[in-house]
């Protein structure tokens, strides 16, 4: 395919910009920090023909946890070295429960009764977590919802996955004020539904008037943060309409673990008098101890403003937080806001993603698109930008950078 034809596939990047930047150097290694290819399992084998080096594949609900496990068994990285270049290993699994489906888990500590398999329990649970408060007129809708599952049981399953897959992340998790539960399935919709789509999502259903109370979403988020901290794993976070609330929730999990911010005088003193080797060893061991929050966090397809990111960048924050951007979410109506955020972020806090639901050429195109877009905003060449973004992804998922240093032209 010639260059001009390829550029027409980039919906949010002009042909002029793509031509000015030149051919896209896939050989340097491009990494998708957040995607959902298990939503269409028929296309999973396309992973092997994709140009993207590694996909970070999210689980979100009851129906896809085992599917992510399945693709991890077939295509998953077995070591961080595989991310350098490997023809067979192309993905990292991530196991988590998305806020859109948070109503389907019950808090075992909520004291709603022991009859957890009964319809009465199901009604009590949904009445306790949904808003506005469901009334008698909503009973048929509540009965159409799935029997809720124990949060502790789900966390136990996730623990098993994290033990089996030592490189796995936790996600997709988070908070969302905007979403609403879909209405139940009608006979007509059941007949017309696309059977290639993994069940459990909205598909073509209308939305109801109900959403999930933020307090219930926070219970799930904190529990999954704690599990990630226990295993020292990174977390991919969904945040829609909750930019202040989600940072406050993060703070609640790391209270007492904040980094000490040294004054200029203290920094100068510490530089002049290095720590003895035994003290450095103690500090390293403390860093590796399990904590009630994850060591690394990615704010996926971030939709906040340049003001919203400031608390996350405070020096006292004890987690390494990066921000991910996708053409699907960030290059539409919120494009100008994304530009300001990308400009305001330090170079080492940015990663890229597709957030797409199917593996193949479209995923590659979308990743190239957002990469070109960010390189243009940051004034990076494609080679320098891809190197930086690759280092940032490696640091997020593995806790370290395994690529060569950024070229000296950037320093």
């Amino acid at each position: 395919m010639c260059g001009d034809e390829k550029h027409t596939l980039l919906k949010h990047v002009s042909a002029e910009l793509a031509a000015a930047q030149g051919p896209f150097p896939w050989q340097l290694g491009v990494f998708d920090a957040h995607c959902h290819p298990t939503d269409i399992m028929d296309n999973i084998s396309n992973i092997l023909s994709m140009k993207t080096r590694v996909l970070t594949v999210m689980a979100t609900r009851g129906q896809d946890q085992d599917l992510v496990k399945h693709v991890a068994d077939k295509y998953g990285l077995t070591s961080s070295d595989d991310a350098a270049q490997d023809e067979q290993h192309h993905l990292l699994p991530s196991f988590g429960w998305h806020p859109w489906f948070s109503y389907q888990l019950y808090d075992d500590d909520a004291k709603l009764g022991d009859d957890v398999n009964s319809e009465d329990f199901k009604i009590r649970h949904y009445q306790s977590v949904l808003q506005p408060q469901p009334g008698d007129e909503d009973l048929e809708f509540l009965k159409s919802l799935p029997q809720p599952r124990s949060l502790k049981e789900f966390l136990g399953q996730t623990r098993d996955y994290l033990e089996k897959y030592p490189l796995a992340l936790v996600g997709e998790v988070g908070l969302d004020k905007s979403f609403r539960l879909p209405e139940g399935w009608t006979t007509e919709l059941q007949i017309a539904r696309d059977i290639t789509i993994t069940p459990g999502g909205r598909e073509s259903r209308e939305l109801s008037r109900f959403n999930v109370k933020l307090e219930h979403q926070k219970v799930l988020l904190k529990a999954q943060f704690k599990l990630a901290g226990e295993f020292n794993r990174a977390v991919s976070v969904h945040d829609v309409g909750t930019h202040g609330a989600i940072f406050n929730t993060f703070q609640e999990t790391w209270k007492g673990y904040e980094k000490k911010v040294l004054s200029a005088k203290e920094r100068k003193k510490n530089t002049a008098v290095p720590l003895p080797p035994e003290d450095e060893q103690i500090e390293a061991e403390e860093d590796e101890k399990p904590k009630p929050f994850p060591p690394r966090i990615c704010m996926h397809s971030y939709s906040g403003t340049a003001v919203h990111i400031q608390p996350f960048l405070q020096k006292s924050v004890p987690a390494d937080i990066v921000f991910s951007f996708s053409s699907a979410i960030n290059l539409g109506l919120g494009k100008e806001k994304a530009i300001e955020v990308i400009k305001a972020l330090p170079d080492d806090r940015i990663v890229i993603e597709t957030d797409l639901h199917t593996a193949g050429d479209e995923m590659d195109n979308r990743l190239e698109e957002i990469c070109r877009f960010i390189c243009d905003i940051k004034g990076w060449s494609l080679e320098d930008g891809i190197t930086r973004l690759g280092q940032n992804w490696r640091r997020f998922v593995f806790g370290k950078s395994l690529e060569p240093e950024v070229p000296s032209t950037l320093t």
Side-chain angles (χ1 to χ4, degrees), residues 297-365:
I297 299 168
C298 176
M299 305 301 293
H300 109 85
S301 286
Y302 189 68
S303 59
T305 67
V307 173
H308 288 132
I309 66 174
Q310 296 309 313
F312 297 93
L313 302 179
Q314 294 177 99
K315 293 181 179 179
S316 60
V317 169
D320 186 359
I321 301 179
V322 298
F323 296 78
S324 187
F325 300 91
S326 67
S327 65
I329 304 298
N330 299 113
L331 299 191
L333 294 176
K335 183 175 180 179
E336 294 305 316
K337 181 168 59 175
I339 290 173
E340 293 307 311
V341 173
I342 292 166
K343 286 180 178 178
L345 281 170
D347 293 350
D348 63 352
R349 298 294 191 111
I350 302 171
V351 293
I352 55 175
E353 61 168 275
T354 61
D355 199 26
L356 286 190
H357 61 283
T358 183
D361 291 343
E362 177 70 4
M363 197 172 274
D364 280 341
N365 292 339

Side-chain angles (χ1 to χ4, degrees), residues 15 44 76 84 92 162 183 250 285 321 356-357:
I44 278 293
L92 277 180
L162 296 179
E183 294 283 3
F250 289 2
E285 290 174 357
I321 301 179
L356 286 190
H357 61 283

